[in-house]
Amino acid sequence: MRVSWSSLLADVRACEKCALCRGRMNVVPGEGDPNADLMFIGEGPGAEEDRLGRPFVGRSGELLTKMIHAIGLERSEVYICNVVKCRPPGNRNPAPEEAEMCLPYLRGQVALVRPKVIALLGRVACQYTLREQISITRDHGRWFERKGVWMMPTFHPAALLRDPAKKREAWEDFQKLRDKLREVQHG
Ligand code: URA
């Protein structure tokens, strides 16, 4: 079902469906162009995101922003969000029940934005969207089509900060994102 932005955001902001709400300073719903052709889905907010209520604004976010610029786009031209909207303590992975509780919000965001291309940042984002056992090392840069939307697993920027040697492959993935976007926009 297609909800409205205002009801979706009101529901996310008031959400107490899982224990993550108890530790949050701010809910981090997502931001960017509500009609973007390209969407980025991460895992969940970190400390800086929790503090500011905005996705990808810490160190990982700085790198993601640079990579978005490198394919000729601004953050305001894409939509950026996460699987879970509240910070998991100590930046652990969201627990399956936390992710499942939060997924209707992500589905609502995808239904409203109607992106043509989705970049899945890291294994957690893949796990709850593609519903397949994804290995980022093996499957990054591969296209998966779901209901007419092109989805591609790629490295989480935090993984690139931990292992800069992966940046070359990540850059190739981002070039594929740029090319796919051109293809779907111009036919
Ligand atoms: N890591 C994520 O997965 N999401 C954010 O918003 C920030 C860091």
Coordinates of all heavy atoms in Angstrom, one line a residue, residues 59-110:
R59 N 31.8 9.7 9.4 CA 32.9 9.4 8.5 C 32.5 8.7 7.2 O 33.0 8.9 6.1 CB 34.0 8.7 9.2 CG 34.9 9.6 10.1 CD 36.0 8.8 10.7 NE 37.0 8.5 9.7 CZ 37.7 7.3 9.6 NH1 37.4 6.3 10.5 NH2 38.6 7.1 8.7
S60 N 31.7 7.6 7.4 CA 31.2 6.9 6.3 C 30.4 7.8 5.3 O 30.5 7.6 4.1 CB 30.2 5.8 6.7 OG 30.8 4.8 7.5
G61 N 29.6 8.7 5.9 CA 28.8 9.6 5.1 C 29.7 10.5 4.3 O 29.4 10.8 3.1
E62 N 30.8 11.0 4.9 CA 31.7 11.8 4.1 C 32.2 11.1 2.9 O 32.3 11.7 1.8 CB 33.0 12.2 5.0 CG 33.0 13.5 5.5 CD 34.1 13.7 6.5 OE1 35.3 13.5 6.1 OE2 33.9 14.1 7.6
L63 N 32.6 9.8 3.0 CA 33.1 9.1 1.9 C 31.9 8.8 0.9 O 32.1 9.0 -0.3 CB 33.7 7.7 2.4 CG 34.2 6.8 1.3 CD1 35.2 7.5 0.4 CD2 34.8 5.6 1.9
L64 N 30.7 8.5 1.4 CA 29.6 8.3 0.5 C 29.3 9.5 -0.3 O 29.1 9.5 -1.5 CB 28.4 7.8 1.3 CG 27.1 7.6 0.4 CD1 27.3 6.5 -0.6 CD2 25.9 7.3 1.3
T65 N 29.4 10.7 0.4 CA 29.1 11.9 -0.3 C 30.1 12.2 -1.4 O 29.8 12.6 -2.5 CB 29.1 13.1 0.7 OG1 28.2 12.8 1.7 CG2 28.8 14.4 0.1
K66 N 31.4 11.9 -1.1 CA 32.5 12.0 -2.2 C 32.2 11.1 -3.4 O 32.4 11.5 -4.5 CB 33.8 11.7 -1.6 CG 34.5 12.8 -0.8 CD 35.9 12.4 -0.5 CE 36.5 13.2 0.6 NZ 37.6 12.6 1.4
M67 N 31.7 9.9 -3.1 CA 31.5 9.0 -4.2 C 30.3 9.4 -5.0 O 30.3 9.2 -6.2 CB 31.3 7.6 -3.6 CG 32.6 7.1 -3.0 SD 32.4 5.5 -2.1 CE 32.6 4.4 -3.4
I68 N 29.3 10.0 -4.3 CA 28.1 10.5 -5.1 C 28.6 11.6 -6.0 O 28.2 11.7 -7.1 CB 27.0 10.9 -4.1 CG1 26.4 9.7 -3.4 CG2 25.9 11.8 -4.8 CD1 25.5 10.0 -2.2
H69 N 29.4 12.5 -5.4 CA 29.9 13.6 -6.2 C 30.7 13.1 -7.4 O 30.7 13.6 -8.5 CB 30.8 14.5 -5.4 CG 30.1 15.4 -4.4 ND1 30.7 16.0 -3.3 CD2 28.7 15.6 -4.3 CE1 29.7 16.6 -2.6 NE2 28.5 16.4 -3.2
A70 N 31.5 12.0 -7.2 CA 32.4 11.5 -8.2 C 31.6 10.9 -9.4 O 32.1 10.8 -10.5 CB 33.3 10.4 -7.7
I71 N 30.3 10.6 -9.2 CA 29.5 10.2 -10.4 C 28.6 11.3 -10.9 O 27.6 11.1 -11.5 CB 28.7 8.9 -10.1 CG1 27.7 9.0 -8.9 CG2 29.6 7.7 -10.0 CD1 26.7 7.9 -8.8
G72 N 29.0 12.5 -10.4 CA 28.3 13.7 -11.0 C 27.0 14.1 -10.4 O 26.2 14.8 -11.0
L73 N 26.8 13.6 -9.2 CA 25.5 13.9 -8.5 C 25.7 14.6 -7.2 O 26.8 14.6 -6.6 CB 24.7 12.6 -8.3 CG 24.2 11.9 -9.5 CD1 23.7 10.5 -9.2 CD2 23.1 12.7 -10.2
E74 N 24.7 15.3 -6.7 CA 24.7 15.9 -5.4 C 23.8 15.0 -4.4 O 23.0 14.3 -4.9 CB 24.0 17.3 -5.4 CG 24.7 18.3 -6.2 CD 26.1 18.7 -5.6 OE1 26.3 18.6 -4.4 OE2 27.0 19.0 -6.4
R75 N 24.1 15.1 -3.2 CA 23.2 14.3 -2.2 C 21.7 14.7 -2.4 O 20.9 13.8 -2.2 CB 23.6 14.6 -0.8 CG 24.8 13.8 -0.3 CD 25.2 14.3 1.1 NE 24.2 13.9 2.1 CZ 24.4 12.9 3.1 NH1 25.6 12.3 3.2 NH2 23.5 12.7 3.9
S76 N 21.5 15.9 -2.7 CA 20.1 16.4 -2.8 C 19.4 15.8 -4.1 O 18.2 15.9 -4.2 CB 20.1 17.9 -2.9 OG 20.8 18.4 -4.0
E77 N 20.2 15.2 -4.9 CA 19.6 14.6 -6.2 C 19.3 13.1 -6.0 O 18.8 12.5 -6.9 CB 20.5 14.8 -7.4 CG 20.7 16.2 -7.7 CD 21.7 16.4 -8.9 OE1 22.9 16.2 -8.6 OE2 21.3 16.6 -10.0
V78 N 19.7 12.5 -4.9 CA 19.5 11.1 -4.7 C 18.7 11.0 -3.4 O 18.5 12.0 -2.7 CB 20.8 10.3 -4.6 CG1 21.6 10.4 -5.9 CG2 21.7 10.7 -3.4
Y79 N 18.2 9.8 -3.0 CA 17.6 9.6 -1.7 C 18.4 8.6 -0.9 O 18.9 7.6 -1.5 CB 16.2 9.0 -1.9 CG 15.4 9.1 -0.6 CD1 14.8 10.3 -0.2 CD2 15.3 8.0 0.2 CE1 14.1 10.4 1.0 CE2 14.6 8.1 1.4 CZ 14.0 9.3 1.8 OH 13.3 9.4 3.0
I80 N 18.7 8.9 0.3 CA 19.6 8.2 1.2 C 18.8 7.7 2.4 O 18.3 8.6 3.1 CB 20.8 9.0 1.6 CG1 21.5 9.6 0.4 CG2 21.8 8.1 2.4 CD1 22.7 10.5 0.7
C81 N 18.8 6.4 2.7 CA 18.2 6.0 3.9 C 18.8 4.7 4.4 O 19.9 4.3 3.9 CB 16.7 5.8 3.7 SG 16.2 4.6 2.5
N82 N 18.3 4.1 5.4 CA 18.8 2.9 6.0 C 17.7 1.8 6.2 O 16.5 2.2 6.3 CB 19.4 3.3 7.4 CG 20.7 4.0 7.3 OD1 21.7 3.5 6.7 ND2 20.7 5.2 7.8
V83 N 18.2 0.6 6.5 CA 17.2 -0.5 6.9 C 16.6 -0.1 8.2 O 15.3 -0.1 8.3 CB 17.9 -1.8 7.0 CG1 17.0 -2.9 7.5 CG2 18.5 -2.3 5.6
V84 N 17.3 0.2 9.2 CA 16.7 0.6 10.5 C 16.9 2.1 10.7 O 17.9 2.7 10.3 CB 17.2 -0.2 11.7 CG1 16.8 -1.7 11.6 CG2 18.7 -0.1 12.0
K85 N 15.9 2.7 11.3 CA 15.8 4.2 11.4 C 16.4 4.7 12.8 O 16.4 5.9 13.0 CB 14.4 4.7 11.2 CG 13.7 4.1 10.0 CD 14.4 4.2 8.7 CE 13.5 3.8 7.5 NZ 14.3 3.5 6.4
C86 N 16.7 3.7 13.7 CA 17.2 4.1 15.0 C 18.6 3.5 15.2 O 18.8 2.4 14.7 CB 16.3 3.7 16.1 SG 14.7 4.5 16.1
R87 N 19.5 4.1 15.9 CA 20.8 3.6 16.1 C 20.9 2.3 16.9 O 20.5 2.3 18.1 CB 21.7 4.7 16.7 CG 23.1 4.3 16.8 CD 23.9 5.2 17.7 NE 25.3 4.7 17.7 CZ 26.2 5.0 18.6 NH1 25.9 5.8 19.6 NH2 27.4 4.5 18.5
P88 N 21.5 1.3 16.3 CA 21.7 0.1 17.2 C 22.9 0.4 18.1 O 23.9 1.0 17.7 CB 22.1 -1.0 16.2 CG 21.7 -0.5 14.8 CD 21.8 1.0 14.9
P89 N 22.8 0.1 19.4 CA 23.8 0.4 20.3 C 25.2 -0.1 19.9 O 25.3 -1.2 19.4 CB 23.4 -0.3 21.6 CG 22.2 -1.1 21.3 CD 21.7 -0.7 20.0
G90 N 26.2 0.8 20.1 CA 27.6 0.4 19.7 C 27.8 0.1 18.3 O 28.7 -0.6 17.9
N91 N 26.9 0.6 17.4 CA 26.9 0.3 16.0 C 26.9 -1.2 15.6 O 27.4 -1.5 14.6 CB 28.1 1.0 15.3 CG 28.1 2.5 15.5 OD1 27.1 3.1 15.8 ND2 29.2 3.1 15.3
R92 N 26.3 -2.0 16.4 CA 26.2 -3.4 16.0 C 25.2 -3.5 14.9 O 24.4 -2.6 14.6 CB 25.7 -4.2 17.2 CG 24.3 -3.9 17.7 CD 23.7 -5.0 18.6 NE 22.5 -4.7 19.3 CZ 21.3 -4.5 18.7 NH1 21.2 -4.6 17.4 NH2 20.3 -4.2 19.5
N93 N 25.2 -4.7 14.2 CA 24.2 -4.9 13.2 C 22.8 -4.9 13.8 O 22.7 -5.4 14.9 CB 24.4 -6.3 12.5 CG 25.6 -6.3 11.6 OD1 26.2 -5.2 11.3 ND2 26.0 -7.4 11.0
P94 N 21.8 -4.5 13.1 CA 20.5 -4.6 13.6 C 20.1 -6.1 13.8 O 20.5 -6.9 12.9 CB 19.6 -3.9 12.6 CG 20.5 -3.6 11.4 CD 21.9 -3.8 11.8
A95 N 19.4 -6.4 14.8 CA 18.9 -7.8 15.0 C 17.8 -8.0 14.0 O 17.1 -7.1 13.6 CB 18.4 -7.9 16.4
P96 N 17.6 -9.3 13.6 CA 16.6 -9.6 12.6 C 15.2 -9.0 13.0 O 14.5 -8.5 12.1 CB 16.6 -11.1 12.5 CG 18.0 -11.5 12.9 CD 18.4 -10.5 13.9
E97 N 14.9 -9.1 14.3 CA 13.5 -8.7 14.6 C 13.4 -7.1 14.6 O 12.4 -6.6 14.2 CB 13.1 -9.2 16.0 CG 14.0 -8.8 17.2 CD 15.1 -9.8 17.4 OE1 15.5 -10.5 16.4 OE2 15.7 -9.8 18.5
E98 N 14.6 -6.4 14.8 CA 14.6 -5.0 14.7 C 14.4 -4.6 13.2 O 13.6 -3.7 12.9 CB 15.9 -4.4 15.2 CG 16.0 -4.6 16.7 CD 17.5 -4.5 17.3 OE1 18.4 -4.4 16.4 OE2 17.6 -4.6 18.5
A99 N 15.2 -5.3 12.4 CA 15.1 -5.0 10.9 C 13.7 -5.3 10.4 O 13.1 -4.5 9.7 CB 16.1 -5.8 10.2
E100 N 13.1 -6.4 10.8 CA 11.8 -6.8 10.3 C 10.7 -5.7 10.7 O 9.8 -5.4 9.9 CB 11.4 -8.2 10.7 CG 12.3 -9.3 10.2 CD 12.3 -9.5 8.7 OE1 11.3 -9.0 8.0 OE2 13.2 -10.2 8.2
M101 N 10.8 -5.3 12.0 CA 9.9 -4.3 12.4 C 10.0 -3.0 11.6 O 9.0 -2.3 11.5 CB 10.2 -3.9 13.9 CG 9.8 -5.0 14.9 SD 8.0 -5.1 14.8 CE 7.7 -6.5 16.0
C102 N 11.2 -2.6 11.2 CA 11.4 -1.4 10.5 C 11.2 -1.5 9.0 O 11.0 -0.4 8.4 CB 12.9 -1.0 10.8 SG 13.1 0.8 11.1
L103 N 11.2 -2.6 8.5 CA 11.1 -2.8 7.0 C 9.9 -2.1 6.4 O 10.0 -1.6 5.2 CB 11.2 -4.3 6.6 CG 12.6 -4.8 6.5 CD1 12.5 -6.3 6.1 CD2 13.4 -4.1 5.4
P104 N 8.7 -2.2 7.0 CA 7.6 -1.5 6.4 C 7.9 0.0 6.0 O 7.4 0.5 5.0 CB 6.4 -1.6 7.4 CG 6.8 -2.8 8.2 CD 8.3 -2.9 8.2
Y105 N 8.7 0.6 6.9 CA 9.0 2.0 6.6 C 9.9 2.1 5.3 O 9.7 3.0 4.5 CB 9.8 2.7 7.8 CG 9.0 2.6 9.1 CD1 9.6 2.2 10.2 CD2 7.7 3.0 9.1 CE1 8.9 2.2 11.4 CE2 7.0 3.0 10.3 CZ 7.6 2.6 11.4 OH 6.8 2.5 12.6
L106 N 10.9 1.2 5.2 CA 11.7 1.2 4.0 C 10.9 0.9 2.8 O 11.0 1.6 1.7 CB 12.9 0.2 4.2 CG 13.8 0.1 3.0 CD1 14.6 1.4 2.8 CD2 14.8 -1.0 3.2
R107 N 10.0 -0.1 2.9 CA 9.1 -0.4 1.7 C 8.3 0.8 1.4 O 8.1 1.1 0.2 CB 8.2 -1.6 2.1 CG 8.9 -2.9 2.2 CD 8.0 -4.1 2.1 NE 8.7 -5.2 2.6 CZ 8.5 -5.8 3.8 NH1 7.6 -5.3 4.6 NH2 9.3 -6.8 4.2
G108 N 7.8 1.5 2.4 CA 7.0 2.8 2.1 C 7.8 3.8 1.4 O 7.4 4.5 0.5
Q109 N 9.1 3.9 1.8 CA 10.0 4.9 1.2 C 10.2 4.6 -0.3 O 10.2 5.4 -1.2 CB 11.3 5.0 2.0 CG 11.1 5.7 3.3 CD 12.4 5.6 4.1 OE1 12.9 4.5 4.4 NE2 12.9 6.8 4.6
V110 N 10.5 3.3 -0.5 CA 10.7 2.8 -1.9 C 9.4 3.1 -2.7 O 9.5 3.6 -3.9 CB 11.2 1.4 -2.0 CG1 11.2 0.9 -3.4 CG2 12.5 1.2 -1.3

